[in-house]
Each structure stands twice: as C-alpha cells, then as structure tokens.
Amino acid sequence: MSGAPDGFCGFCESQIASESKTTETKVRRGLKLYRKMKNYKIRNVTIICILCALLMTACASNGSPENTQDTASSDGGTSDTSDQDMIVVGFSQVGAESDWRKENTQSMIKAFSAERGYELILEDAQQKQSNQITAIRTFIQRDVDYIVLAPVTEEGWDTVLGEAKDAGIPVIIVDRKVATQDEDLFTCWIGSDFELEGKKVCTWLTDFCSKKGITPDTLNIVDIQGTIGASAQIGRTKGLVDAAAKNGWNISGMASGEYTQAKGREVTAGFLNRFPDVNVVYCENDNEAFGAIEAIEAAGKKAGSDIAGGEIMVLSFDGVSEEAIEDAREGKISCIGECNPLHGPRVEKIIRNLQQGTAPDKYIYVEEELFSADQSITSVEVEGNGYPVTIIGQ
Ligand code: AHR
C-alpha cells in the first residue's frame, strides 16, 4: 500500500516487538501472561505464584545496568526501551478495493501512529479470507497486544478467533461483522448499520417517486451487489429486496460488482444488454457506481433522475471521494447513502479505554446521513427515526 508513513510495516518488513528488561515491561508481561492463563483455566494460585516470581525478578534486576541494556529482539535487531511501551496492534484489512477502503486504511494508520504510542502491523488481505486467517495467526505468534479485524465476509471465523482468545489477545471487529455462535470470541464490533443504509436510500427513492408522480410498478431495478457474504452486501441487498416487496418495484437482476469500478461496469453493461427497460441501478458502493455510469454512457444513455425522460437513475453508498460527490452534484448519482470510513480514532479510543480497564459496548453503530443534489427531499424517515439529506449545491 503506497504512502504508508513510518511505523507502518507489512509482514515481510516488519519489526517484531522486542523483549524488555525494564520493571514496567515485566509487570505488563506478567499481567498479559495472567490474562492468557485465565483463558487456559489454570488455577488462580498458580497464576499468583508466577506473577510474584516475575515481580521479584523484576525488582531484583531494577537498577542493575547490565540488565537495563537493550537486548536482541526476536528478529535479531536491538531496540531501545522507549519501544517497549508501544502498544502493538495487528490490523487485518480487507484490501484496497474501493475509495472507502483506502480512506479507512489511512484513518487506521493515522490513529495508530508511533507518536501516539502504537506499533501498527497492517496486513492487506486482498479481499481473501484465507489471507486474513493467516494474518491473524501471525499476529498471535507475534503476541501482539490487540488484533483488529475488518472481515471480508461474515462466516468462518470461529476457529481462528478461538485461537486468539486462547492466546489471550483481545480482538476488535471493525466495519463488517462476523457471524459467530460465541460472542465471547471478540471484544466488540464497531461500524455501520448497513441494512439501515439500504432502507434510507430506498426510502429516498420511494419519496422521490411519490413527489415526481412515478408509479412504483414502472421501476425496473438492477442491484450491483457488493462482495457476496459481506455485511455491507447482506444489509444493503436486504434493504432493497424488502423495499421492492413493500412498494411493488421490479428487481430485474442482481449480481456482485465486488465493490470495484471495473466489475461494476461489466455487470451493469451485461444487465443493460439483457434488460433494456432498466431505469434504476442500485450500486452497493460508489466505485461500482462509477463503473455503472461508464456502462450507461457507453450504451448511449444518460445517468440521471429523469426516469420518465429516459434517464437511468444511479443510487449508491459511501460518499467518501470527491469524484462521488461531484457525480452527485452533477446528478449522475441521484442519492448516496453515507458509509463513514473514519474508524481509526474510534478503534483507538476503544483500545485506550481497554488499557485503562474500561470495557466497550459490544456493538457500536456510527451515525450516517444521505447525500443528494435533488432538493425536493431534505430528510427521510425510517422506522420512526428521521435522517438528514445533505443537499449538495451546484
Ligand atoms: O464494508 C464497507 C464497504 O466496503 C464500503 O461500502 C465499500 O466501498 C467497501 O469496499
């Protein structure tokens, strides 16, 4: 990943956290060992004995110059004592498939900087769960202080999260969720309510149609889905399917655009070919929408809200990049459901609190709105709650 600041390192070039001989570090390591042994269900008396032994060794070595020297770390290098206070965070990121994802990665890198006392080990999974499982196992081997996981899909995490739990390493899930029977496998989750995002965009479409006198059964929608099995796809697809059933909209086709521009273009082009009467393209992120607009224009049509006049309406999610906001300003994307990527400071705060013994809520949802250049709808109401629409000026 380009533009990574100091402190970012992939596995190949990583600096492994080195051992410390300082009293403070020994106590910290003793506490960490305690946490792990608790997970292994070893009797308290054994744990207390080990802690006492660690504390006694630490006190005995305190002040003795030869014992406060830097020591070789497990990668063969040396480290100074200031490194020893760093909190080591292993972050398994989905990939770099979208503008949202890139912004999310940058947010994490900034929040977990060396200046703030962190060593961030960032691993890009290139949209493959198997890479994420390997990354988590490597984090466990390295005995990181925390694991942060942005899971590509929801299923299939129990085994590896069980391994992290046995190792006593807290796991924070960010962005998409994991589906597990055992909620103790992770400390907490923070991210977006993706189904609510879908409901908000579909409510905007419902309100828009009723304002413009467009009858619901004239809507022929194709859904360019996200990565199948990802929470963002599951929630946004459900939002559309439920709204279509409720309003009498026709869904002509659904297929994954994998959250990328190239696939979004390819899938939309195929649908336009198969279903010439399509008048709404529901894209499950902005990058797919960019591809959909390209496909619409390549087919000699116009992306816009004037469905009765033959335009094809593009709906989307994220609202992160300038390009997406510009497309909305120009009316090429009629409405964007915001998906906020700035989770770095949020996750950092969770870890800071955990360090001080404060447990987070299990599920933390971020607040989000809608973006549109159309001025006729300034808010939408979903299940009794109002959500603002930011009108993007010309
Ligand atoms: O999980 C969040 C989604 O993943 C974003 O909407 C999308 O752009 C990203 O790739």
Side-chain angles (χ1 to χ4, degrees):
M1 200 157 289
S2 64
D6 296 345
F8 160 70
C9 49
F11 285 152
C12 321
E13 53 184 318
S14 69
Q15 303 143 359
I16 300 172
S18 57
E19 297 298 315
S20 168
K21 297 270 180 185
T22 63
T23 304
E24 192 183 336
T25 303
K26 283 191 172 187
V27 172
R28 195 164 66 86
R29 290 203 170 265
L31 288 167
K32 196 169 177 181
L33 181 61
Y34 169 80
R35 206 175 62 208
K36 289 182 182 178
M37 295 185 85
K38 233 171 86 181
N39 281 329
Y40 290 125
K41 296 186 171 47
I42 292 175
R43 286 181 172 283
N44 284 350
V45 66
T46 315
I47 295 162
I48 290 163
C49 287
I50 289 171
L51 274 172
C52 287
L54 276 165
L55 282 166
M56 281 166 67
T57 316
C59 291
S61 64
N62 202 16
S64 140
E66 64 273 24
N67 284 336
T68 54
Q69 293 293 306
D70 297 342
T71 54
S73 64
S74 48
D75 61 353
T78 59
S79 59
D80 60 36
T81 47
S82 63
D83 287 345
Q84 308 318 312
D85 300 327
M86 302 283 253
I87 298 168
V88 183
V89 176
F91 174 37
S92 172
Q93 174 62 292
V94 169
E97 73 283 2
S98 64
D99 297 332
W100 187 99
R101 188 66 55 195
K102 289 171 196 160
E103 199 67 37
N104 176 249
T105 300
Q106 287 308 312
S107 167
M108 296 291 283
I109 288 171
K110 275 187 209 139
F112 291 99
S113 64
E115 296 72 41
R116 286 167 180 257
Y118 294 97
E119 179 188 345
L120 180 68
I121 306 172
L122 170 60
E123 185 63 7
D124 178 338
Q126 299 181 2
Q127 299 237 61
K128 290 198 180 76
Q129 186 182 40
S130 56
N131 288 342
Q132 297 203 284
I133 290 171
T134 303
I136 292 170
R137 291 200 167 122
T138 311
F139 295 153
I140 294 168
Q141 277 169 11
R142 290 180 173 202
D143 197 21
V144 300
D145 295 303
Y146 295 90
I147 292 173
V148 179
L149 168 65
V152 61
T153 46
E154 290 191 352
E155 303 287 340
W157 296 103
D158 285 43
T159 303
V160 76
L161 292 186
E163 291 166 23
K165 186 183 172 195
D166 288 346
I169 302 174
V171 176
I172 295 157
I173 311 290
V174 66
D175 174 28
R176 303 170 188 173
K177 287 179 177 166
V178 293
T180 173
Q181 296 300 314
D182 181 2
E183 298 251 307
D184 287 344
L185 291 180
F186 62 95
T187 303
C188 67
W189 166 88
I190 183 159
S192 305
D193 186 334
F194 299 111
E195 188 178 337
L196 178 61
E197 288 177 353
K199 284 179 178 170
K200 287 191 286 192
V201 168
C202 290
T203 303
W204 184 94
L205 178 59
T206 310
D207 294 354
F208 180 84
C209 288
S210 78
K211 284 224 156 125
K212 305 287 174 184
I214 300 166
T215 44
D217 60 2
T218 62
L219 290 190
N220 295 311
I221 305 170
V222 288
D223 180 7
I224 315 301
Q225 298 170 286
T227 302
I228 301 299
S231 307
Q233 175 274 314
I234 294 168
R236 292 169 188 166
T237 298
K238 185 170 188 313
L240 174 65
V241 169
D242 290 352
K246 190 172 155 203
N247 294 304
W249 302 337
N250 174 40
I251 299 181
S252 304
M254 304 171 103
S256 177
E258 293 165 12
Y259 290 125
T260 68
Q261 182 163 346
K263 196 74 184 168
R265 180 176 56 239
E266 180 191 315
V267 174
T268 307
F271 279 147
L272 293 178
N273 214 18
R274 273 171 66 198
F275 310 110
D277 57 351
V278 162
N279 49 19
V280 178
V281 185
Y282 179 91
C283 300
E284 294 190 11
N285 85 344
D286 285 338
N287 293 82
E288 292 179 343
F290 302 151
I293 292 165
E294 286 172 355
I296 290 166
E297 290 173 353
K301 301 194 175 178
K302 193 169 174 219
S305 305
D306 185 9
I307 292 175
E311 292 182 350
I312 298 180
M313 177 183 283
V314 175
L315 302 170
S316 182
F317 296 88
D318 288 351
V320 168
S321 68
E322 253 314 304
E323 189 179 352
I325 299 302
E326 191 52 37
D327 279 350
R329 184 176 289 118
E330 291 176 13
K332 290 184 180 180
I333 301 178
S334 297
C335 180
I336 300 174
E338 181 192 12
C339 183
N340 190 312
L342 305 177
H343 295 319
R346 299 176 183 127
V347 178
E348 196 272 332
K349 189 174 172 197
I350 289 169
I351 289 181
R352 212 174 342 117
N353 285 341
L354 283 168
Q355 285 290 105
Q356 288 158 6
T358 307
D361 289 343
K362 193 79 186 180
Y363 288 93
I364 306 162
Y365 291 91
V366 300
E367 286 186 16
E368 295 167 333
E369 53 175 300
L370 296 167
F371 306 115
S372 177
D374 184 275
Q375 300 187 3
S376 56
I377 298 151
T378 52
S379 70
V380 295
E381 191 180 310
V382 177
E383 287 150 10
N385 296 314
Y387 300 94
V389 180
T390 292
I391 308 295
I392 299 165
Q394 296 298 316

